[in-house]
Amino acid sequence: NVIFRRSGGLRKLAHKLGLSMGGRHVERNWSDPEVLKAEVQNFAFVNGTAGIMFSGLELLAHGRADLHAAIVRNGGLRITGLQCGVQLRDSQNVTRRDWANFAVLESALTAYIRANGTAGMMPLAREFRAAGRGDIVHAMHVHHFGMISVAAKLGLRQGAKRPLDCRAEPKPNGYWKVRENLQKELFAFATWAQARTGAQQAAAIAAATA
């Protein structure tokens, strides 16, 4: 890191050494639809998703904050996937308007519990997110008064809350100075904080209407 700083950054250092930039460091014209399409298709086929549209978390985990930002500017994962001819996941085929329909949420939630959960029990928010289905958690909080309210409506038991392990794993020297690492950690924290806030609001609403 010291060498990079004294050289004016990675790009300038590569230029001084006569090296070409590769991967996410390549300068790309993200406003060109063909450039975006090529990068989306390449990531979808190379990084384990077998041609199926990936998630934002998968992009950040692979250090592709540049592609993530380009997709956001283009309108999001669903729109970009459709434009680039990449097969969408079931969750990405559901629009915001669809989630407002409780039957759509119930169907997605039931399918998730059948495949990943315990019958008759509402999974924890972090279990949804770990399985790549944070969209279900988001829909419950935004459109249906939170997980507590949805669980009560569907007759699901609330699982015992297991305490979060707040002990951060030690990071290597210089970890926090890498922009992509900082973006990844901020995104993870924001996702956790949003779910936590939504759960608190739902509990307050349930208590007020009891």
Side-chain angles (χ1 to χ4, degrees), residues 120-143:
M121 182 169 289
M122 173 67 80
L124 300 177
R126 62 178 178 271
E127 292 171 338
F128 282 113
R129 293 195 296 271
R133 293 309 307 266
D135 56 326
I136 296 178
V137 178
H138 182 76
M140 285 191 282
H141 290 315
V142 172
H143 298 291

Side-chain angles (χ1 to χ4, degrees), residues 2-184:
V2 174
I3 296 175
F4 291 162
R5 287 199 300 271
R6 291 180 178 177
S7 302
L10 188 61
R11 198 175 301 283
K12 288 185 178 180
L13 178 60
H15 179 72
K16 290 177 182 179
L17 297 176
L19 302 173
S20 60
M21 301 292 289
R24 66 181 182 274
H25 300 293
V26 175
E27 290 188 4
R28 297 179 175 87
N29 179 15
W30 291 115
S31 61
D32 185 343
E34 292 303 317
V35 171
L36 180 59
K37 180 178 180 179
E39 288 298 314
V40 167
Q41 291 181 341
N42 180 67
F43 188 94
F45 281 93
V46 170
N47 291 284
T49 57
I52 299 174
M53 193 60 176
F54 38 80
S55 69
L57 287 175
E58 288 170 330
L59 281 174
L60 296 175
H62 283 83
R64 291 307 305 271
D66 59 331
L67 181 54
H68 181 269
I71 289 173
V72 171
R73 287 194 298 269
N74 190 59
L77 290 165
R78 182 175 184 275
I79 291 176
T80 302
L82 290 172
Q83 292 175 345
C84 296
V86 178
Q87 181 182 349
L88 297 177
R89 298 178 179 183
D90 290 342
S91 61
Q92 293 165 340
N93 272 314
V94 182
T95 66
R96 292 180 180 179
R97 182 175 298 177
D98 291 332
W99 282 125
N101 183 341
F102 189 82
V104 172
L105 173 64
E106 181 180 5
S107 175
L109 182 56
T110 301
Y112 175 88
I113 293 174
R114 186 183 301 117
N116 305 286
T118 301
M121 182 169 289
M122 173 67 80
L124 300 177
R126 62 178 178 271
E127 292 171 338
F128 282 113
R129 293 195 296 271
R133 293 309 307 266
D135 56 326
I136 296 178
V137 178
H138 182 76
M140 285 191 282
H141 290 315
V142 172
H143 298 291
H144 303 286
F145 304 106
M147 297 178 69
I148 295 175
S149 175
V150 173
K153 192 170 183 178
L154 294 177
L156 299 174
R157 302 188 307 277
Q158 288 287 113
K161 293 186 177 179
R162 297 184 289 276
L164 289 172
D165 185 359
C166 296
R167 295 172 297 174
E169 296 180 1
K171 305 298 184 185
N173 291 335
Y175 177 87
W176 294 108
K177 296 179 181 180
V178 179
R179 181 181 179 185
E180 287 81 3
N181 292 339
L182 182 59
Q183 289 176 322
K184 180 177 66 175

